[in-house]
Amino acid sequence: NLFFLNSFAENEFSFDITEVEILEDGNKVIGKNRGTITSDSGVIISSDNFEYDKIKNIIIATGNVIIEDNPNDVILFSNKVIYKKNLENFFSDGTTTSKIYSRYDLVSEDLNYNSQTRIIKSEKKTSLDDTKNKIFYEASRFNFQIDTEILKGEKVFINTDYDLPNSDKYYFKSGIFNLFNRSFLSKDIKVFVKKDIFSDLDNDPRIEGVSGTRKNEITQINKGVFTSCKKTDKCPPWVIEAKKIVHDKNKKTLTYDDAWLKIYDVPILY
């Protein structure tokens, strides 16, 4: 069941499919009952059914689809994927999972993956699990540059050290995140610091600010507000407002620049 078709002089697919039907003077190939298509770029497509349009150079794969982009160490799993060969673009329809660098586990919908630019993105809610560093990312809009490991997202949630009883949790309106060195640059940041930072598990230490950065396990929050009061619907009994708040994760410290203490919204110390 193995045969070859030249879509253009420079493009070639090999088909290994159980049942094949060739239509429209050889310009359309229908594959059924499971099989694989291998691209000259090193991509292997496995699925229950295929439809190949030779004129448009497009493959539509449906049913238990697996895309193995071995040169880029990326695998996609979905129920339907459209592969536009001329653009090296893959579009999934519906729920899609992916394994990147055998390290990142991704779950999303309607993914757009380009094997040339090495960008994977979605306009739908997406989660990314860094299984090596035990960091979980979630975003409503998602763009991941695979080779540089740069993530751009909106409405981003990050759970650090999720395998431990207590961990820092971050919320962002938007941001740029380097997953390789775990640095970031963001807008509208909220940090729920792990409860044991002050050795009191009854507290809810948290910081909010208009922007934030992180480098070498040190988070800086600009125009920030901090309190460790237990979180309720009411105004916290006390807060510290500061031009800059720095959280050193390793030292478990918080430092403030140009800060003032407010008790029930009344300034007390500057």
Side-chain angles (χ1 to χ4, degrees), residues 131-150:
T131 59
K132 179 181 178 181
N133 292 312
K134 305 301 181 185
I135 303 175
F136 179 81
Y137 301 84
E138 189 174 80
S140 63
R141 179 177 289 180
F142 180 91
N143 182 306
F144 186 45
Q145 181 71 53
I146 294 172
D147 52 347
T148 60
E149 300 182 54
I150 299 294

Side-chain angles (χ1 to χ4, degrees), residues 139 141-143 151-156 173-177:
R141 179 177 289 180
F142 180 91
N143 182 306
L151 165 66
K152 299 177 183 178
E154 296 182 5
K155 295 182 180 179
V156 180
K173 181 179 180 181
S174 63
I176 301 172
F177 308 85

Side-chain angles (χ1 to χ4, degrees), residues 164-206:
L164 299 178
N166 294 295
S167 63
D168 294 336
K169 296 177 176 63
Y170 296 78
Y171 296 84
F172 310 88
K173 181 179 180 181
S174 63
I176 301 172
F177 308 85
N178 187 318
L179 275 57
F180 178 75
N181 62 21
R182 289 177 281 179
S183 62
F184 64 70
L185 175 65
S186 70
K187 292 182 180 179
D188 292 346
I189 178 174
K190 295 181 181 179
V191 183
F192 288 83
V193 183
K194 57 184 179 180
K195 287 175 172 287
D196 61 355
I197 187 172
F198 298 127
S199 302
D200 188 348
L201 297 181
D202 290 330
N203 284 339
D204 290 317
R206 55 198 183 275

Side-chain angles (χ1 to χ4, degrees), residues 16-18 32-37 45-50:
D16 187 0
I17 303 172
T18 305
K32 301 178 181 179
N33 293 333
R34 201 67 191 172
T36 62
I37 299 177
I45 306 170
S46 305
S47 70
D48 295 338
N49 303 290
F50 296 93

Side-chain angles (χ1 to χ4, degrees), residues 5-260:
L5 283 176
N6 288 320
S7 56
F8 293 102
E10 72 276 18
N11 292 330
E12 185 178 76
F13 291 108
S14 63
F15 295 71
D16 187 0
I17 303 172
T18 305
E19 295 182 20
V20 177
E21 184 179 4
I22 300 178
L23 306 171
E24 300 177 9
D25 297 324
N27 290 322
K28 181 171 287 188
V29 177
I30 305 295
K32 301 178 181 179
N33 293 333
R34 201 67 191 172
T36 62
I37 299 177
T38 303
S39 166
D40 62 351
S41 59
V43 174
I44 301 173
I45 306 170
S46 305
S47 70
D48 295 338
N49 303 290
F50 296 93
E51 181 179 316
Y52 172 52
D53 188 320
K54 181 179 178 182
I55 302 300
K56 295 180 180 179
N57 211 19
I58 292 175
I59 290 174
I60 300 175
T62 57
N64 301 305
V65 182
I66 304 173
I67 308 295
E68 298 175 80
D69 184 2
N70 294 316
N72 290 322
D73 198 5
V74 175
I75 303 177
L76 301 177
F77 303 88
S78 188
N79 200 50
K80 181 179 179 180
V81 175
I82 298 172
Y83 175 30
K84 296 185 177 181
K85 180 67 174 70
N86 295 340
L87 301 175
E88 289 297 342
N89 239 118
F90 299 84
F91 301 90
S92 73
D93 185 358
T95 301
T96 307
T97 62
S98 177
K99 191 80 172 179
I100 303 170
Y101 292 156
S102 303
R103 166 184 167 184
Y104 297 116
D105 291 337
L106 183 148
V107 179
S108 187
E109 293 183 45
D110 304 341
L111 272 181
N112 179 340
Y113 168 57
N114 189 292
S115 62
Q116 287 185 330
T117 62
R118 305 186 73 185
I119 293 176
I120 188 167
K121 59 185 179 179
S122 176
E123 298 295 313
K124 301 291 183 66
K125 184 178 179 179
T126 302
S127 66
L128 186 77
D129 185 351
D130 181 348
T131 59
K132 179 181 178 181
N133 292 312
K134 305 301 181 185
I135 303 175
F136 179 81
Y137 301 84
E138 189 174 80
S140 63
R141 179 177 289 180
F142 180 91
N143 182 306
F144 186 45
Q145 181 71 53
I146 294 172
D147 52 347
T148 60
E149 300 182 54
I150 299 294
L151 165 66
K152 299 177 183 178
E154 296 182 5
K155 295 182 180 179
V156 180
F157 165 69
I158 299 177
N159 186 5
T160 65
D161 302 318
Y162 61 74
D163 59 329
L164 299 178
N166 294 295
S167 63
D168 294 336
K169 296 177 176 63
Y170 296 78
Y171 296 84
F172 310 88
K173 181 179 180 181
S174 63
I176 301 172
F177 308 85
N178 187 318
L179 275 57
F180 178 75
N181 62 21
R182 289 177 281 179
S183 62
F184 64 70
L185 175 65
S186 70
K187 292 182 180 179
D188 292 346
I189 178 174
K190 295 181 181 179
V191 183
F192 288 83
V193 183
K194 57 184 179 180
K195 287 175 172 287
D196 61 355
I197 187 172
F198 298 127
S199 302
D200 188 348
L201 297 181
D202 290 330
N203 284 339
D204 290 317
R206 55 198 183 275
I207 313 168
E208 296 185 19
V210 298
S211 64
T213 60
R214 179 179 178 178
K215 187 176 181 180
N216 299 326
E217 301 295 332
I218 296 176
T219 301
Q220 176 179 310
I221 298 173
N222 302 311
K223 295 183 179 179
V225 178
F226 169 78
T227 185
S228 64
C229 296
K230 196 166 185 64
K231 190 172 177 60
T232 66
D233 293 333
K234 299 179 180 179
C235 175
W238 66 267
V239 299
I240 296 176
E241 297 183 1
K243 182 178 180 181
K244 180 172 69 177
I245 301 175
V246 178
H247 172 219
D248 189 317
K249 181 178 179 180
N250 293 328
K251 294 181 179 179
K252 295 184 178 181
T253 59
L254 290 169
T255 57
Y256 311 89
D257 283 355
D258 294 336
W260 58 94

